[in-house]
Amino acid sequence: MVRRLVVLDYCGTLCPSVCRFDVGYWLKRSGLSTLGFTEKSYWKFVSDTWEDAAVAGTPFQALLRAEAAGGAKAAAGADVDAAVSSFVEAYWNAHIVHPLWFEAGALPPAARVLLAVSAVLRAPKKSPAFWETLLYHEALQTNAIVVATDHYSDACEPLARHLGSDRTEVLSRVHRTPARADQFPYDEVVVVDDFGAAERPAACYPERSAETERVLRSVLPAGVTLRIVRFTPGNLDNVGGAIEEAMAQLNPHNGCSG
């Protein structure tokens, strides 16, 4: 019997709608706009901080608070903590797993879920270090579904909540085992990812898919089959069809490892 490990991308795949999070609305609603944030400055802040945060493990809320506190209006007495907390809460609440993934059997109620967050593993998801730490982690010696994401360290609690806190374990870099190919217990690895297609449907980022495949092949043992399933929800009007197509490629009867 083939032992299969399925790795599901979170943002854009399990949760395609987060790519449509209304930043402008929540900047105003939270009060961050009164502290000087615009959509443009917010996305610049994210672009400038997320990859370093993935390596250093710095929480999103701490980074956002530091950025907001540095503005002139914050110095004038604006409530930075309330504005930041309001925005961050709305942002994490928007990371809801699309219910069709549960209904289709990608995340069965009894399944054990391992959550791999880049800021906890201290490496961006695109790097060999991320995948090597994940694939050879001691927690993968027993059956589980893996959910992987590039995110800040404080994503762990809300994402685990959306996946089911009682059955979700956040993988820690500290408890990894040495990367030994002879200990890898799977015959096949299947990665399901949108590679940016949920964010920008016209682009679909084919180069991201190719790069992920290259990196994974560089860390997987020889003889292990690798399959990349590309999730393409289009403009989010066809999420149901895209999930059905992805599940058909996964094979619903063997959708989790084991």
Side-chain angles (χ1 to χ4, degrees):
M1 180 178 180
V2 174
R3 293 205 67 204
R4 175 181 300 171
L5 175 67
V6 173
V7 183
L8 303 170
D9 168 60
Y10 197 100
C11 295
T13 302
L14 291 183
C15 179
S17 62
V18 75
C19 300
R20 299 292 187 268
F21 178 69
D22 194 338
V23 170
Y25 171 81
W26 284 107
L27 287 176
K28 292 177 183 177
R29 176 74 180 268
S30 67
L32 282 179
S33 61
T34 67
L35 294 169
F37 271 97
T38 64
E39 288 191 57
K40 183 177 180 180
S41 67
Y42 171 79
W43 288 117
K44 183 179 187 305
F45 154 76
V46 171
S47 177
D48 290 346
T49 61
W50 82 264
E51 193 155 341
D52 286 342
V55 176
T58 311
F60 175 58
Q61 185 156 342
L63 288 165
L64 188 59
R65 190 195 184 288
E67 183 77 8
K73 293 187 179 180
D79 194 340
V80 172
D81 286 338
V84 170
S85 295
S86 176
F87 183 88
V88 171
E89 181 180 9
Y91 180 59
W92 293 134
N93 284 342
H95 284 68
I96 298 172
V97 177
H98 196 289
L100 286 178
W101 284 113
F102 293 107
E103 294 174 20
L107 295 161
R112 177 168 162 259
V113 177
L114 301 176
L115 179 59
V117 178
S118 58
V120 178
L121 299 187
R122 299 297 178 91
K125 188 169 159 232
K126 65 184 179 184
S127 71
F130 176 92
W131 290 104
E132 192 172 70
T133 304
L134 165 59
L135 292 171
Y136 295 102
H137 199 286
E138 62 186 3
L140 266 70
Q141 298 301 307
T142 55
N143 287 359
I145 296 170
V146 175
V147 174
T149 183
D150 260 326
H151 238 317
Y152 300 90
S153 59
D154 44 346
C156 297
E157 188 279 329
L159 298 195
R161 173 165 41 87
H162 291 309
L163 290 164
S165 298
D166 57 338
R167 51 86 169 264
T168 302
E169 173 189 348
V170 178
L171 294 184
S172 167
R173 184 176 177 83
V174 175
H175 297 115
R176 65 165 293 195
T177 54
R180 288 182 51 187
D182 61 347
Q183 292 182 341
F184 193 71
Y186 300 97
D187 305 303
E188 181 180 50
V189 173
V190 185
V191 176
V192 185
D193 202 319
D194 72 304
F195 300 107
E199 182 181 358
R200 294 184 181 178
C204 291
Y205 297 112
E207 69 278 7
R208 289 190 183 182
S209 175
E211 179 65 10
T212 297
E213 183 171 357
R214 185 193 67 78
V215 170
L216 276 163
R217 290 198 184 280
S218 74
V219 299
L220 281 171
V224 173
T225 301
L226 172 64
R227 288 200 294 121
I228 304 292
V229 175
R230 205 157 152 200
F231 178 69
T232 53
N235 60 1
L236 302 189
D237 290 334
N238 188 39
V239 173
I243 291 174
E244 287 181 7
E245 183 179 345
M247 289 302 298
Q249 293 183 63
L250 273 177
N251 182 347
H253 300 294
N254 293 297
C256 79
S257 61

